[in-house]
Amino acid sequence: MQPEQVTLFERVGGRDAVGRIVEAFYRHVEADPVQRAIYPDDLEPGKEKLKLFFEQWMGGEPRYTGLYGHPRLRRRHFPFVIDELAAGRWLRYMRQAMQEEGVREQDLRQVFEALGPLAHHMVNAGQDVPRGAHEQGMRLS
Ligand code: HEM
């Protein structure tokens, strides 16, 4: 197979590698009290969802959607107040996590071309968005 026919998911090392990336990302979040304060007390459910999501997003099996439906990421983030600085920190910690896992420079470039706009799309601080699950009429988990 030519390298370009191999999915990003396979190039980074598959499910185990995605799991390690998400664990590393959350370690960075936990080490930063300001970023940590945005997240709920129990980090485990979110961690598992992020693993499933990234597996799917990188071209692996669509297990996230199988379990939780369409990602609708911006809506799912409404309960959490996210400003530009938080988006910047999210991107920094994700880049560090992927670098620690040995994701190659050209893959990092491709990934962050997409994740940059996506992270800024998640910014909702100061916006009149429904913060509670009941207001959104949807299941969050
Ligand atoms: C911009 C900064 C971001 C912040 C501060 C942030 C923060 C959060 C928080 C607090 C949660 C809830 C975790 C939980 O319930 O335990 C969450 C969930 C999640 N985030 Fe983010 N996030 C950001 C950007 C992103 C981006 C760019 C993506 C995707 C590329 C993403 C993907 C997810 C996913 C898939 C979930 C689980 C959603 C669900 O099924 O409930 N997040 N995020």
Side-chain angles (χ1 to χ4, degrees):
M1 242 195 306
Q2 297 299 309
E4 57 268 27
Q5 292 176 290
V6 175
T7 63
L8 181 62
F9 175 68
E10 289 166 288
R11 288 204 300 281
V12 305
R15 193 170 287 173
D16 289 349
V18 170
R20 288 192 297 269
I21 289 168
V22 171
E23 295 288 339
F25 169 79
Y26 266 86
R27 277 198 297 277
H28 290 296
V29 171
E30 283 196 84
D32 175 345
V34 178
Q35 197 75 348
R36 177 65 182 87
I38 301 170
Y39 286 77
D41 288 347
D42 183 3
L43 294 176
E44 292 307 317
K47 217 186 258 185
E48 292 315 308
K49 285 174 157 187
L50 197 56
K51 288 178 189 175
L52 292 177
F53 174 82
F54 268 124
E55 171 167 345
Q56 167 171 339
W57 188 79
M58 289 180 169
E61 271 179 59
R63 295 195 294 152
Y64 178 92
T65 293
L67 282 168
Y68 304 112
H70 189 284
R72 294 195 284 187
L73 280 184
R74 189 172 145 74
R75 282 187 63 178
R76 287 190 203 261
H77 285 77
F78 283 166
F80 312 98
V81 179
I82 299 173
D83 62 14
E84 287 290 345
L85 290 172
R89 289 191 296 263
W90 191 99
L91 288 167
R92 187 160 77 243
Y93 298 149
M94 190 53 80
R95 181 180 289 272
Q96 286 172 355
M98 288 189 185
Q99 278 169 338
E100 286 159 20
E101 192 46 42
V103 176
R104 287 176 311 175
E105 202 47 50
Q106 71 196 64
D107 288 329
L108 284 177
R109 221 174 304 132
Q110 183 196 329
V111 163
F112 284 92
E113 264 172 35
L115 284 184
L118 197 51
H120 291 287
H121 179 61
M122 243 40 98
V123 170
N124 57 34
Q127 297 173 20
D128 184 19
V129 298
R131 298 284 173 193
H134 60 285
E135 291 177 273
Q136 298 179 48
M138 66 185 288
R139 268 181 65 227
L140 288 171
S141 56

